[in-house]
Amino acid sequence: MSTETAPFDPARPYTLAGSVSLRPEEFGALVYNFATRRLSFLKSPLLVAVVRELAQQPDVTTALATAGVPDAEHDRYLRALAGLAEAGTIGPRP
């Protein structure tokens, strides 16, 4: 069984991993992964909005637009989401 994951693709649908919980905070959110017992942070309320929007949208790009991320900021948010995907915080939806 391969442990490699597919590269992050903004044209695909994603969602918060089932083992991950978000706790809203003024700065963004605390992220706890119950599978790895890892605590991390989302340091932007807008990034939290994007992550929550992923489950309802057909792809990442639509989630960015729906959450209100300015077009000029899309690349920065895509890099952040790619990091979240690599960490297992978000994953592709079937």
Side-chain angles (χ1 to χ4, degrees):
M1 180 181 278
S2 173
T3 59
E4 291 182 36
T5 59
F8 179 73
D9 179 1
R12 293 189 62 194
Y14 282 78
T15 192
L16 190 65
S19 62
V20 173
S21 176
L22 294 182
R23 187 176 96 188
E25 297 288 342
E26 286 184 27
F27 59 83
L30 292 173
V31 179
Y32 187 72
N33 187 324
F34 288 91
T36 64
R37 302 180 111 174
R38 181 176 176 201
L39 178 65
S40 56
F41 305 93
L42 297 182
K43 298 178 184 175
S44 159
L46 188 51
L47 182 56
V48 175
V50 172
V51 169
R52 291 194 184 281
E53 198 62 45
L54 289 172
Q56 282 77 28
Q57 301 306 324
D59 56 53
V60 173
T61 305
T62 304
L64 291 172
T66 303
V69 176
D71 290 342
E73 297 290 314
H74 278 209
D75 286 342
R76 186 166 70 104
Y77 278 80
L78 289 173
R79 285 191 301 274
L81 292 167
L84 293 175
E86 187 174 319
T89 302
I90 63 172
R93 266 190 353 241

